Amino acid sequence: MKLLAPSILSADFWDLKTQIEAVIRGGADLIHFDVMDGHFVPNITVGPYVLECIKRRITIPVDAHLMIENADKYIPEFISAGADWISVHIENNYHIHRTIELIKKKGAKAGVVINPGTALDMLKEIVHYVDYVLLMSVNPGFGGQKFIERSVHRLRELVNLRDITGTDFFIEIDGGIKEDNIGEVVRAGADVVVVGSGIFLAEDIENQTRKLKNIILSSTAV
Ligand code: DX5
Ligand code: ZN
């Protein structure tokens, strides 16, 4: 499984419908939906109502990345709105096992997210419970930031963690992925690749999606 997840954070919200339709025609496997609350991260984005409006019209899954405080309080609402995958950060969800179990119990795929400055050792226990790990390759909060190179090494370490723990979580990577490094992250072990500005700021969104999807598919083959 190698999937492309365009992040609508960099979309033009005036034209959201057209732009989401374009990434779907270009081969997007899921829509990455970044939720920010102005507390955990310094930016504010969208909530369950926007997710619901999108989900009503599309058939591919929506992957909600929650960068918020009190995630437990909002998870049921995001799932009722139609989120198929939900991920929460290891850094601010103190009872991470309970939160992950809540997501699964409500019927969504559950992921744990880890920031660039957090040791991967923090994941050792929770990987036994999650469907996926989302590795941040920028500090969360904004689209269009530069890829942190060490993330490639961290991807390989995550693959190793999966092997030694005998678990089967899939690995998603998010932040600073563009045409020039998407092949590298797939070869290093990413199963799901999030791309925001690298798709939505392109002149032709549909073709750009198709191009990145083809790189993912050909990188897998190597
Ligand atoms: C950052 C978000 C990302 C962001 C990626 O906090 O989690 O999903 O949209 O955008 P690019 O691909 O532009 O780094
Ligand atoms: Zn994200």
Side-chain angles (χ1 to χ4, degrees), residues 100-115:
I100 291 294
E101 292 300 310
L102 171 68
I103 298 170
K104 292 196 290 189
K105 194 174 84 196
K106 297 269 173 198
K109 280 197 192 304
V112 63
V113 194
I114 185 158
N115 280 338

Side-chain angles (χ1 to χ4, degrees), residues 33 35 47-49 51-53 55-56 62-66 68 71-88 98-111 131-132:
F33 189 88
V35 182
Y49 177 65
L51 194 153
E52 189 183 332
C53 293
K55 186 63 194 179
R56 250 190 255 141
V62 173
D63 159 29
H65 172 193
L66 304 188
I68 61 174
D72 290 10
K73 184 174 163 197
Y74 298 100
I75 284 164
E77 261 186 82
F78 278 102
I79 293 180
S80 306
D84 301 275
W85 299 15
I86 295 199
S87 59
V88 290
R98 183 163 69 201
T99 305
I100 291 294
E101 292 300 310
L102 171 68
I103 298 170
K104 292 196 290 189
K105 194 174 84 196
K106 297 269 173 198
K109 280 197 192 304
D131 296 299
Y132 62 106

Side-chain angles (χ1 to χ4, degrees), residues 163-179:
D163 290 346
I164 61 177
T165 51
T167 50
D168 61 356
F169 60 87
F170 47 88
I171 301 172
E172 183 172 14
I173 186 158
D174 183 6
I177 318 272
K178 302 264 165 22
E179 268 171 72

Side-chain angles (χ1 to χ4, degrees), residues 96-138:
I96 190 72
H97 175 268
R98 183 163 69 201
T99 305
I100 291 294
E101 292 300 310
L102 171 68
I103 298 170
K104 292 196 290 189
K105 194 174 84 196
K106 297 269 173 198
K109 280 197 192 304
V112 63
V113 194
I114 185 158
N115 280 338
T118 306
L120 293 179
D121 280 358
M122 291 280 287
L123 298 174
K124 266 187 179 163
E125 195 52 40
I126 201 64
V127 289
H128 292 276
Y129 303 96
V130 299
D131 296 299
Y132 62 106
V133 172
L134 171 45
L135 183 77
M136 290 309 297
S137 39
V138 297

Side-chain angles (χ1 to χ4, degrees), residues 9 15 34 90 98 111 137 186 209:
L9 185 64
D15 213 14
D34 287 304
I90 188 94
R98 183 163 69 201
S137 39
V186 171
T209 308

